[in-house]
Amino acid sequence: MDVEQIARRDLAVAFRWAARLNMHEATANHFSVAVSPDSQNFLINPAGRHFSQVRASDLVVVNATDTKSNANVDPTAINLHGQIHKLLPHAKCILHTHMPYTTALACLRNFEFLMLDQNACRFHQRIAYDRDYCGMALEASEGERVALVLGESKNVLFLANHGVIVVSNSVAEAFDELYYLEKAAQLQVLALSTGRELALIDDQTAALVCKQWLEYPKSAEHHFAALIEILDQESPEYKN
């Protein structure tokens, strides 16, 4: 398969699994991945397609510099993903969701992700925070603002009163990050709900564990390959 075919397959896998894991909102939210070396051309889900039904052929190619309306793509997707792809070279793949546990934490005033467990440590010093909810991204300027808040040194953006954005070099890496972020967020919501004192991990240890996570051999690749294998067996039409 060529670069675009692989990207189409991988992004379709991400949509299908986001639906299976309840990290979606039906036909809302968007995933995208660059298919050109400069990241200016990217694939994204079409308007109105349910996450659980996305197929590789459904995905639409959009250019990041084209801010005109596209009947096949939701305007918020063009404005948000287009500006992030345009301004942040490290954002080859962008996953934006309102997944429940992470979004719940993003709705807490001045909340910062807690170094509470091993999964949380993966995100040590890698999260940016947008504290100013400004409504839907119906203008390119809002996408630009969000891209600048995320910046070039972070891979996760908590959007106050809204959701989360995860960016990475590939669909496999981005989905692996999204998965473990939501797992860690779920644990934090549960731990906070007890009202008991939290046993936080110290900064030095959290930094070490983050480094270990990022250097762990092929963890994202193995995870994503397993997801592909399951879909190939159970829902092979996703590749069509």
Side-chain angles (χ1 to χ4, degrees), residues 15-79:
F15 282 115
R16 295 284 181 117
W17 274 100
R20 288 190 180 207
L21 297 172
N22 195 34
M23 300 194 298
H24 70 117
E25 288 196 325
T27 62
N29 300 167
H30 306 93
F31 293 173
S32 64
V33 62
V35 290
S36 62
D38 62 1
S39 297
Q40 299 308 289
N41 293 329
F42 59 91
L43 291 168
I44 199 162
N45 45 313
R49 190 71 170 157
H50 196 281
F51 268 38
S52 67
Q53 298 297 310
V54 171
R55 297 169 301 185
S57 60
D58 293 328
L59 301 169
V60 180
V61 177
V62 176
N63 185 275
T65 61
D66 185 5
T67 59
K68 298 178 182 178
S69 61
N70 184 326
N72 295 321
V73 182
D74 188 276
T76 63
I78 293 176
N79 291 327

Side-chain angles (χ1 to χ4, degrees), residues 108-124:
L108 302 179
R109 186 179 299 277
N110 297 323
F111 182 82
E112 293 198 8
F113 208 60
L114 302 171
M115 295 299 102
L116 188 57
D117 76 320
Q118 181 169 281
N119 289 340
C121 291
R122 177 175 179 151
F123 303 98
H124 180 259

